[in-house]
């Protein structure tokens, strides 16, 4: 982590120096700041292992403070992330490096105490989870690898019934999925924040002088990640789709019923955020609303297609020789990240929907075809 942060900071500083926009001293200082950021992130990761329940609230608090600092510029000299921003080549000062060094030294001094709080049983459990996640990641099953680190449902398991006797079957599944999401409140809060962030980004994509396609792509990726806590029912339906029918209903109805909850949450959150952001910025809400709804539906379809994907096909393990080398690894990576790539393109197309609707139509046709093909080939 430290090496990656140092390399990224050095790459940015080197690029500025080669173009005459910064001097070598400020570039070296920014690379040192990158190394310090990597060390701080490593210590924060260790602290998250020691205090897993406090990790999410603290992370949300840090994000909120960072957003507040960005909105109030005079707070930058008093916050660690402000020091990193002030150390940018061309505008940095030695004081930010000294402050970050002092903070890093204080955190490193706490490492032995944190390590002593880790018990053998906890270390063994973490090692087992890491080994399982690495195995899934090696097989390009990134969704399964992420699932290993999800928290277990705990809220309301004794007093809150998930399945209730209601005549309308769709209402039964809707309530069941809603209560299932509530039982992991941390994931639920993060998912709602991600959906709200996606709504904000897609609204800003229609603002003048804004890179609409880039903000749209970021909105699509954020929306795809935020839908994870709300699509557990879809993954369950996809996992049993090829087995005997459950609950006396067909596989198609099971998948459709489990899609109701994430669809409802997506529509409510996106509409609320888009309307509020449009009112605050003084923009028309018509275009952002239509684009956000289209992106929400496409993202949900991408989640369905990702749940139906299954394991890596053995045919993709064969080498693909070309004049420029073996493309087998690249093809396998595209297969593993196809939903992410498609939804990023869908977000960019949604932001440009009123300029070039053909792009959005093409992405929609591709996603529909992919989901239908995987549904028919489910095993």
């Amino acid at each position: 982590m430290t090496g990656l942060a140092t390399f990224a900071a050095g790459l940015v500083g080197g690029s500025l120096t080669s173009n005459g926009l910064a001097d070598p001293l400020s570039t070296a200082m920014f690379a040192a700041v990158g190394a310090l950021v990597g060390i701080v992130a490593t210590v924060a990761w260790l602290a998250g292992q020691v205090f897993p329940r406090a990790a999410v609230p603290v992370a949300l608090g840090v994000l909120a403070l960072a957003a507040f600092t960005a909105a109030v510029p005079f707070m930058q000299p008093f916050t660690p992330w402000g020091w990193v921003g002030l150390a940018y080549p061309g505008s940095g000062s030695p004081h930010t490096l000294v402050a970050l060094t002092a903070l890093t030294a204080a955190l490193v001094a706490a490492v032995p105490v944190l390590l002593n709080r880790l018990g053998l049983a906890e270390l063994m459990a973490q090692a087992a989870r890491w080994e399982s996640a690495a195995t899934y990641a090696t097989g390009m099953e990134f969704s399964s690898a992420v699932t290993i680190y999800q928290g277990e449902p705990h809220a309301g398991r004794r007093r809150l019934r998930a399945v209730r006797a209601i005549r309308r079957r769709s209402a039964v599944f809707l309530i069941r999925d809603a209560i299932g999401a509530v039982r992991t409140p941390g994931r639920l809060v993060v998912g709602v924040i991600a959906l709200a962030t996606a709504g904000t980004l897609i609204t800003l994509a229609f603002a003048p002088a804004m890179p609409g396609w880039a903000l749209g792509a970021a909105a699509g990726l954020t929306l795809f990640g935020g839908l994870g806590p709300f699509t557990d029912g879809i993954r369950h339906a996809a996992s049993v789709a090829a087995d005997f029918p459950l609950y006396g209903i067909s596989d198609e109805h099971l998948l459709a019923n489990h899609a109701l909850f994430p669809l409802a949450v997506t529509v409510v959150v996106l509409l609320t955020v888009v309307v509020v952001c449009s009112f605050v910025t003084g923009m028309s809400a018509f275009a952002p609303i239509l684009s956000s709804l289209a992106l929400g539906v496409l993202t949900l379809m991408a989640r369905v297609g990702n749940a139906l994907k299954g394991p890596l096909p053995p045919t993709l393990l064969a080498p693909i020789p070309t004049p420029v080398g073996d493309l087998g690894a690249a093809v396998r990576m595209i297969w593993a990240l196809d939903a992410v790539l498609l939804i990023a393109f869908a977000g960019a197309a949604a932001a440009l929907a009123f300029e070039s609707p053909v792009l959005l139509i093409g992405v929609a046709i591709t996603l529909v075809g992919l989901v239908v093909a995987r549904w028919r080939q489910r095993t």
Side-chain angles (χ1 to χ4, degrees):
M1 191 178 296
T2 303
L4 182 61
T6 306
F7 174 77
L11 185 63
V12 172
S15 176
L16 294 174
T17 302
S18 62
N19 289 281
L21 301 176
D23 58 276
L25 180 60
S26 61
T27 298
M29 186 178 71
F30 191 59
V33 168
L36 295 175
V37 170
I39 296 174
V40 170
T42 303
V43 177
W45 170 74
L46 176 61
Q49 285 189 307
V50 178
F51 307 104
R53 293 186 177 181
V56 173
V58 171
L60 293 177
V62 171
L63 288 176
L65 289 175
F68 177 75
T69 304
V72 184
F74 73 85
M75 290 292 296
Q76 284 190 346
F78 306 100
T79 58
W81 39 87
W83 301 337
V84 176
L86 292 174
Y88 193 77
S91 61
S93 63
H95 304 289
T96 59
L97 182 59
V98 173
L100 278 173
T101 303
L103 174 63
T104 305
L107 292 176
V108 169
V111 168
V113 179
L114 294 175
L115 289 175
N116 289 333
R117 292 183 64 93
L118 286 174
L120 178 61
E122 296 175 350
L123 290 175
M124 293 293 291
Q126 292 173 6
R129 284 198 299 268
W130 175 256
E131 184 179 2
S132 300
T135 301
Y136 281 121
T138 303
M140 298 294 181
E141 298 182 35
F142 298 123
S143 298
S144 300
V146 173
T147 304
I148 293 178
Y149 285 95
Q150 291 180 0
E152 296 182 356
H154 59 277
R157 296 198 69 176
R158 295 183 178 180
R159 293 173 293 180
L160 194 60
R161 291 180 54 193
V163 180
R164 307 190 177 198
I166 303 176
R167 289 187 176 182
R168 295 188 62 86
R169 183 181 298 157
S170 57
V172 174
F173 281 89
L174 182 64
I175 295 174
R176 176 264 176 210
D177 288 340
I179 294 177
V182 170
R183 285 178 174 172
T184 52
R187 294 180 66 218
L188 178 64
V189 172
V190 172
V192 172
I193 293 176
L195 294 183
T197 303
T200 304
L201 291 174
I202 197 64
T203 305
L204 295 177
F206 289 90
M210 284 289 189
W213 65 271
L215 291 176
L221 293 175
T222 306
L223 187 58
F224 183 84
L227 271 178
F230 307 103
T231 52
D232 290 338
I234 288 179
R235 287 189 287 272
H236 164 69
S239 65
V240 302
D243 210 333
F244 293 106
L246 293 178
Y247 319 117
I249 60 177
S250 64
D251 296 337
E252 291 80 4
H253 285 88
L254 180 64
L255 182 62
N257 286 324
H258 277 298
L260 293 176
F261 175 65
L263 180 61
V265 172
T266 302
V267 171
V268 171
V269 175
L270 288 182
L271 283 181
T272 304
V273 172
V274 169
V275 170
V276 172
C277 289
S278 300
F279 176 78
V280 172
T281 58
M283 298 167 46
S284 172
F286 178 73
I289 285 177
L290 293 182
S291 294
S292 63
L293 291 179
L295 182 59
V297 173
L298 292 178
T299 306
L300 185 58
M301 292 178 57
R303 275 288 180 181
V304 173
N306 200 51
L308 294 169
K309 180 186 294 187
L312 180 71
T315 54
L316 294 182
L317 297 175
I320 306 177
T322 66
V324 296
D326 184 14
L327 296 182
V331 171
R332 289 190 290 272
M333 185 60 65
I334 292 175
W335 177 89
L337 302 177
D338 57 354
V340 175
L341 297 175
L342 279 173
I343 211 59
F345 191 74
L352 303 174
F354 291 88
E355 299 178 13
S356 179
V358 177
L359 294 176
L360 187 60
I361 295 174
V363 175
I365 293 175
T366 302
L367 275 172
V368 171
L370 182 66
V371 172
V372 171
R374 287 180 175 172
W375 179 259
R376 290 178 175 177
Q377 296 174 2
R378 67 189 188 279
T379 56

